[in-house]
Amino acid sequence: MSFDRLAPATAPGRSADAGGNAGMALFQVARAGTYRIALGAPAWIDVVRAGRALPAAAHGHGPACTGIRKMVDYRLSPGRYILQLTGAQATTLPVMIAHRQKDAA
């Protein structure tokens, strides 16, 4: 939906383009840890809890030759969160939220 029609959970961390698309989704975390949010197209990611956007722990791009455009990590505790996406040019985009396992030594 157009950002102009969205009632955001909190002000986006970056100014949204007036004509850009936006959306929100609820998700539940059962186990504390680092969670990676991956998008298949560019958009600004905010993870919101209790009305406040949480800071990102890390960010980057997906591997070459994949459909992953952007990845952002968040350290989350158990509970409910809102995934808020703004500034997307696409009207739909793939999203993945996954618990990160510790890196192998």
Side-chain angles (χ1 to χ4, degrees):
M1 91 173 37
S2 167
F3 179 75
D4 300 336
R5 296 179 48 205
L6 180 75
T10 189
R14 175 180 281 175
S15 293
D17 296 333
N21 293 300
M24 293 189 294
L26 296 173
F27 68 100
Q28 181 83 24
V29 168
R31 180 173 48 153
T34 300
Y35 286 79
R36 175 163 286 169
I37 299 173
L39 302 180
W44 183 259
I45 299 172
D46 286 303
V47 172
V48 181
R49 187 168 191 193
R52 294 178 28 182
L54 303 177
H59 56 80
H61 298 284
C65 299
T66 69
I68 300 172
R69 171 68 184 215
K70 180 177 190 175
M71 300 182 305
V72 182
D73 292 351
Y74 292 88
R75 290 186 185 95
L76 304 176
S77 58
R80 294 182 68 172
Y81 295 85
I82 298 170
L83 173 62
Q84 180 173 280
L85 303 175
T86 54
Q89 296 304 310
T91 56
T92 63
L93 66 141
V95 176
M96 179 183 72
I97 302 172
H99 184 262
R100 292 211 47 212
Q101 302 299 319
K102 291 186 179 185
D103 294 327

